[in-house]
Amino acid sequence: METTSSKTGLLFGLGVVVIQLIDVAVHVATGQAELIRILSNVIIGGWAVWSLSGVARVRSAGFAAVAAYLGLNLAFLAMNGLTNPAQGDAPRVTLFVLVGLTIALALWTLSHRRGG
């Protein structure tokens, strides 16, 4: 029988996938599809699907996916800055919110699901 903690992990894992799909859709819709950001979405989203499928058996894969996701987004910020010229040099609030939510949900998923 699945516990409440396990069900929460499932829900949060699905949240990771949904956020990645929304993030990619926003990139494409606004004409700002940056390869490095989309690659980070694919990595963490792919891990979440793999983990939720029940195939993943090692947590290190999840931590590696989170590290890669965070590293790619930090590299993007290092190359492109904390503000978005396409939006009048506004701070990249959406990036920070989506990355923060993704990392929080992914780490929660890792702590509440069996395997990676």
Side-chain angles (χ1 to χ4, degrees), residues 48-112:
V49 169
W50 183 53
S51 176
L52 294 172
S53 73
V55 176
R57 296 288 179 223
V58 291
R59 290 198 192 291
S60 59
F63 289 113
V66 170
Y69 176 78
L70 182 58
L72 287 169
N73 279 285
L74 289 173
F76 172 81
L77 289 171
M79 292 185 296
N80 296 288
L82 298 174
T83 60
N84 188 343
Q87 295 177 333
D89 284 327
R92 297 182 188 275
V93 174
T94 304
L95 179 145
F96 297 124
V97 169
L98 294 177
V99 169
L101 278 173
T102 295
I103 291 172
L105 291 174
L107 291 176
W108 187 271
T109 300
L110 275 167
S111 68
H112 289 83

Side-chain angles (χ1 to χ4, degrees), residues 1-12 108 112-113:
M1 186 169 153
E2 213 171 6
T3 66
T4 301
S5 179
S6 180
K7 288 178 184 176
T8 302
L10 174 66
L11 180 63
F12 284 9
W108 187 271
H112 289 83
R113 300 279 301 165

Side-chain angles (χ1 to χ4, degrees), residues 23-42:
D23 197 14
V24 170
V26 168
H27 282 102
V28 172
T30 60
Q32 299 177 58
E34 302 97 354
L35 180 61
I36 193 168
R37 294 267 339 271
I38 291 176
L39 178 60
S40 74
N41 296 126
V42 169

